[in-house]
Amino acid sequence: IMPVPVLRGPGKGCSMDSSTKKKLLDAEAIARYDPFSSHNNIRVTAAYADGSGEGELTITPECLNPRGAVHGGCLATLANAVSGWVAGAVQHCNSATASYTLNFLRPAMGTNQKIRCRATPEKTGRTLSVYHVSLTDDEGLEVATGNFTFFMMDKRLNGTTPERLERTADES
C-alpha cells in the first residue's frame, strides 16, 4: 500500500491551518488502525490540503447482492470510511460519524473492479464537519452521492494519533 499525500502544517487541536509543509498520510498505518476497512477491501488513496480526499473499494464476490450489484451497505461503508478518515486527517484529529444520507443513483454492477469515492468538505468546523461524497464505477458513472456529518474529537481513539499516521516526505 502506497503512502497518501496530504498537505498540512502542525496545526493545533482540530483546526485546519494554512501551512504548506508536506506530510504523507501512511495508508499502511490506517490499515493497522482500521482493520474493518481493510477486511472490507476499502483503502484511502488520497487526502489533500483543501480537505478533500479519495478512496476505493475493491469488489469481491462477497460485496455483491443476489442481483449481482454491489450491496448498498458496501457503498455506504466505503463513503463513511473515506470521508471519516479524510476529515480526521486534514484536521489532525479523530472523527466519529454523527449522521449521513446516501442516495443510490444507479446499480454499481459487480462487473466493475473498483468503486471510487471522492469526499469533499462542505463545512470543516472545530466540533462538526460535513462532507459531500460521490461514488463512481470503473466507467466514471456516478452510482451514489451523499452527505456525512462528523463529530470532530480532540481525544485519540485506540492509541491513534496523527503523528503515528503521518511521515514527512523525507522519510518516504
Side-chain angles (χ1 to χ4, degrees):
I1 299 174
M2 297 297 296
V4 184
V6 62
L7 297 176
R8 182 182 58 256
K12 183 174 181 176
C14 290
S15 61
M16 292 185 64
D17 65 52
S18 59
S19 175
T20 57
K21 182 177 178 182
K22 186 170 183 175
K23 295 275 188 176
L24 295 175
L25 189 62
D26 187 349
E28 290 177 9
I30 290 175
R32 283 193 304 274
Y33 288 108
D34 188 7
F36 178 80
S37 291
S38 296
H39 177 76
N40 287 289
N41 304 309
I42 294 171
R43 186 170 80 94
V44 176
T45 57
Y48 304 107
D50 67 357
S52 66
E54 300 170 356
E56 62 190 21
L57 164 70
T58 301
I59 298 172
T60 63
E62 294 79 18
C63 296
L64 305 180
N65 66 24
R67 293 182 309 280
V70 178
H71 193 284
C74 290
L75 299 177
T77 301
L78 168 65
N80 187 51
V82 172
S83 56
W85 270 108
V86 170
V90 300
Q91 293 192 60
H92 209 198
C93 63
N94 283 306
S95 64
T97 308
S99 67
Y100 76 90
T101 301
L102 195 61
N103 302 305
F104 301 102
L105 306 176
R106 63 182 45 84
M109 296 311 295
T111 54
N112 289 285
Q113 301 289 314
K114 294 182 187 239
I115 300 296
R116 288 162 187 81
C117 176
R118 171 94 173 146
T120 308
E122 291 192 355
K123 175 200 183 287
T124 53
R126 189 176 53 78
T127 56
L128 288 177
S129 292
V130 179
Y131 273 73
H132 177 76
V133 296
S134 173
L135 281 67
T136 56
D137 65 12
D138 287 340
E139 295 176 13
L141 292 173
E142 197 168 52
V143 297
T145 62
N147 289 305
F148 284 74
T149 301
F150 296 98
F151 177 67
M152 308 310 294
M153 298 176 286
D154 286 331
K155 295 186 178 188
R156 310 303 183 230
L157 299 177
N158 298 325
T160 15
T161 63
E163 294 76 26
R164 291 186 185 172
L165 299 176
E166 297 172 345
R167 53 185 174 191
T168 62
D170 298 335
E171 296 174 304
S172 56

